[in-house]
Amino acid sequence: MTAFTLNSLAQAGNPLLEKYNTPYETIPFDKIKIEHYMPALEVAMKEHNKEIEAIVNNPKPATFENTIEALDRSGALLSKVTTPFFNLLSAETNDEMQAIAQKMSPLLSEHGNAITLNEKLFERVKAVNEAKDKLKLTAEQKMLLEKTFDSFAENGANLSSKDKETYKELSKELSMLTLNFGQNGLKETNKWSLQITDKNLLAGLPQDVLDMLAINSKKAGKEGWVLDLKATTYTPVMKYADNRDLRRELYMAYTTRNMLGGEFDNVENIRKIANLRLQMANLLGHKSYADYSLVHRMAENKTNVYDLLNKLLEAYKPTAEKEYAAIQEYANKKGAYFKVQSWDWAYYSEKLKAEKFDLNDEMLKPYFELENVKAGVFGLATKLYGIKFVKNSNIPVYHKEVDAYDVIDEKGKFVAVLYTDFHPRDGKRSGAWMSEFKGQKMVGKKDSRPHITIVMNFTRPTETKPALLTFDEVTTFLHEFGHALHGMLTKCTYESLSGTSVYRDFVELPSQIMENWGPEKAFLDGFAKHYQTGEKIPAELIQKIKDAENFNVANFCLRQLSFGFLDMAWHTIETPYTGDVIKMEKEAMSKTQILPVVNDAAMSPNFNHIFAGGYAAGYYSYKWAEVLDADAYSVFVKNGIFDKKTAASFRTNILEKGGTEHPMTLYKRFRGQEPTIDALLIRNGIK
Ligand SMILES: [Zn+2]
């Protein structure tokens, strides 16, 4: 920790600015109050600026140590202040926190921009980069240098002053357009509603959905039931509503959002965003936005991305066609004398699935009591990696439901702190995630170990029942715990390369691989016991889980591929696109089409992942990660799913290494070869 002086009396007693007097210097949540954040932020940003100035004004020539390493070390106080804040903003927020975030975010982005646009600083970074071949750098140092240089260059630091201005304009315009794209989506979704007063029209919907629709209606001051386009309505209507016209009406409303004109139309925004991204990529010396964005991906270039998408398409399409034929046949048997359309697919699939597998959440939940699952998941890490989890009540937590654990290795050495936060609360956002309260790095010769947290929204215990998880929740637990292992077992020198700081199409390997243990009998037998009778989960039930997972798997795969192709189509353009948006989409998706094409519907105007989120030229990474996790897990299948040697290899080659080397290099060291799609095909029953 860098020394700093308190700039006014007002800072006295601000715990964020003091050394933490807690076990492992964990965050003293019990002492930090909301009013501490803003004053601490101000001090921390000033401190960071001083550190940057010291690097810039160093009279000695730029070296790896006095520039690149010094930059990696700078800002420690700033992350000490912002890390608890942004973690709690997701896990335990309130109006006051939200208001502070509104103030903090622009200050932080301005602060970050000032650093990446600091010309003197970039001169030094550039000087080190130009001398890189003469410097004797380790692989990790090379990676840090590359990452640092590119983070400046990708933000326009290497451009002429005229181009720099253009770059700034483009960034500004793009961030406004993407924000607007997402808001349009939300507003158009919220605008639509459908009131139904005849209950017969809603036949087939489960009672809890009907109740929710009745509440919607009451809220709107209306009679009957009010349907909207949120997932909580749309999904059950598509799956369960017997009335075909209703399904069609909802489907068409859903898939024509933001494209039929009006104030929230996104069609023009799509062209604008795609073309501005192209212009920005050109400015930075790339042919297309995909070329620009894939530089820092495991996939490396668009040829590799298309290669993956096409291979999967070829492998899954025949099965997808058979699946469609099976649904069509089933629909006919149920008296449907029409061709199964997009608005029929989920409905008949759901019915056939229920008949075939006779499996539902309620049948599995009694075997997945949270305490048992936790013992099973922690126990898996003990079996594979020899680490143990010891609850430590002396570590301060931010809510009474949060637990903190000392994670220790076989020799009793401290590895990490793990926090767990399992149940939903008003102040918690939905979903599940892993995050860091402190990253890992070497401080001189001392290994400063990480503090990791996993946050979920699992079914709560009731007065009469403990928390019983669905199988999906068990899978989510394994997934986030896999990210946590990546964070906890990391052994790097530099914080900006440690833990989960890896390329985006690699980051889901450690998490998704853990999901493979979920349906393994040898794993479940260790902990999945009925919470009342203690009876082990029956083998037939485990088999059903596996079979049900592959139901319509090829159609699901083709759907993901269609989004991947569409994303690539928009981001591989090499000249500005002025043509018809819907036509572009239909062409990009045509190869993946199994169900009859719906001419008036489209995905692009509401494709937030790529036009409002961070997945531009990156949607393929969902499938990329699946291929990786299946391929990596096949080594465990071959050597034994609890094989210590395989686990040790996965640990030292992947989990410990963070982003210190190119992911393909790391992967090949574990696997002995590049990944193939074969293991995924076998897992999905395609091969
Ligand atoms: Zn994940």
Side-chain angles (χ1 to χ4, degrees), residues 7-189:
N7 70 340
S8 76
L9 271 178
Q11 303 303 342
N14 190 329
L16 289 162
L17 299 173
E18 288 165 3
K19 188 174 175 349
Y20 293 161
N21 247 325
T22 45
Y24 315 110
E25 292 184 41
T26 42
I27 299 170
F29 290 109
D30 49 339
K31 298 210 167 59
I32 298 172
K33 302 209 163 56
I34 291 183
E35 58 266 29
H36 290 137
Y37 287 112
M38 283 310 283
L41 182 80
E42 237 170 81
V43 174
M45 286 197 302
K46 276 189 193 143
E47 178 62 25
H48 194 196
N49 286 337
K50 270 191 228 160
E51 291 167 339
I52 300 291
E53 273 166 45
I55 299 171
V56 171
N57 296 327
N58 192 332
K60 292 187 183 134
T63 63
F64 181 83
E65 287 74 21
N66 75 19
T67 303
I68 308 300
E69 210 172 85
L71 257 177
D72 179 70
R73 293 228 178 89
S74 72
L77 182 63
L78 186 57
S79 56
K80 190 180 169 192
V81 175
T82 52
T83 305
F85 180 79
F86 285 104
N87 269 296
L88 295 188
L89 190 64
S90 293
E92 184 63 14
T93 191
N94 55 41
D95 291 347
E96 243 180 302
M97 294 277 287
Q98 303 285 350
I100 293 177
Q102 293 282 334
K103 276 196 242 166
M104 227 187 230
S105 297
L107 289 177
L108 283 170
S109 64
E110 203 182 316
H111 178 75
N113 286 341
I115 294 172
T116 37
L117 295 173
N118 184 324
E119 294 188 6
K120 283 188 187 155
L121 180 62
F122 181 61
E123 283 309 312
R124 289 183 75 90
V125 171
K126 204 170 161 180
V128 181
N129 191 55
E130 273 160 12
K132 68 181 167 201
D133 296 333
K134 288 182 225 109
L135 308 170
K136 290 200 174 67
L137 300 179
T138 63
E140 180 171 3
Q141 289 173 328
K142 273 184 203 149
M143 203 65 175
L144 184 66
L145 173 57
E146 188 189 307
K147 190 173 177 173
T148 310
F149 178 80
D150 288 355
S151 74
F152 281 90
E154 280 164 10
N155 282 298
N158 219 4
L159 298 174
S160 70
S161 54
K162 185 173 152 269
D163 285 350
K164 253 185 207 146
E165 280 311 305
T166 315
Y167 179 87
K168 262 197 249 170
E169 280 305 308
L170 287 174
S171 312
K172 218 168 109 189
E173 221 178 316
L174 264 172
S175 72
M176 267 161 30
L177 279 169
T178 48
L179 187 72
N180 184 247
F181 186 97
Q183 284 174 347
N184 281 347
L186 205 64
K187 284 177 187 160
E188 182 119 328
T189 302

Side-chain angles (χ1 to χ4, degrees), residues 143-346:
M143 203 65 175
L144 184 66
L145 173 57
E146 188 189 307
K147 190 173 177 173
T148 310
F149 178 80
D150 288 355
S151 74
F152 281 90
E154 280 164 10
N155 282 298
N158 219 4
L159 298 174
S160 70
S161 54
K162 185 173 152 269
D163 285 350
K164 253 185 207 146
E165 280 311 305
T166 315
Y167 179 87
K168 262 197 249 170
E169 280 305 308
L170 287 174
S171 312
K172 218 168 109 189
E173 221 178 316
L174 264 172
S175 72
M176 267 161 30
L177 279 169
T178 48
L179 187 72
N180 184 247
F181 186 97
Q183 284 174 347
N184 281 347
L186 205 64
K187 284 177 187 160
E188 182 119 328
T189 302
N190 289 339
K191 200 178 73 177
W192 192 91
S193 72
L194 174 69
Q195 184 191 10
I196 287 182
T197 46
D198 177 2
K199 196 176 178 181
N200 292 325
L201 291 175
L202 298 171
L205 289 179
Q207 190 56 46
D208 58 336
V209 177
L210 287 172
D211 292 346
M212 183 194 72
L213 299 178
I215 293 171
N216 279 355
S217 165
K218 234 182 225 150
K219 268 190 203 153
K222 288 182 180 167
E223 296 275 295
W225 300 265
V226 167
L227 281 62
D228 56 36
L229 292 180
K230 297 196 183 86
T232 40
T233 306
Y234 180 74
T235 309
V237 169
M238 285 301 128
K239 275 187 180 176
Y240 304 114
D242 295 331
N243 188 307
R244 191 175 188 226
D245 290 336
L246 177 69
R247 293 199 309 266
R248 184 177 183 281
E249 185 169 353
L250 225 70
Y251 178 88
M252 289 312 295
Y254 192 81
T255 53
T256 54
R257 284 175 297 167
N258 308 98
M259 59 179 277
L260 299 177
E263 52 180 331
F264 306 131
D265 196 279
N266 266 337
V267 173
E268 193 50 41
N269 280 342
I270 293 171
R271 271 189 294 253
K272 277 189 191 159
I273 292 171
N275 292 341
L276 285 173
R277 282 178 178 160
L278 167 65
Q279 203 185 332
M280 182 182 261
N282 287 162
L283 196 65
L284 295 167
H286 299 277
K287 264 192 169 165
S288 71
Y289 187 81
D291 290 301
Y292 158 63
S293 121
L294 289 166
V295 172
H296 292 283
R297 298 283 185 271
M298 186 177 180
E300 284 185 333
N301 56 53
K302 57 193 176 196
T303 312
N304 289 336
V305 172
Y306 275 119
D307 191 42
L308 173 89
L309 297 177
N310 283 319
K311 267 188 197 155
L312 290 171
L313 175 63
E314 197 189 324
Y316 283 79
K317 198 165 183 181
T319 309
E321 275 158 356
K322 277 183 215 152
E323 287 169 359
Y324 178 77
I327 298 295
Q328 180 70 59
E329 191 189 310
Y330 177 78
N332 292 147
K333 248 196 342 210
K334 294 282 151 182
Y337 300 106
F338 47 75
K339 201 163 167 49
V340 168
Q341 301 283 341
S342 290
W343 46 90
D344 305 315
W345 174 258

Side-chain angles (χ1 to χ4, degrees), residues 479-480 483 507-508 511:
H479 180 103
E480 299 308 332
H483 284 307
V507 75
E508 298 299 332
S511 52

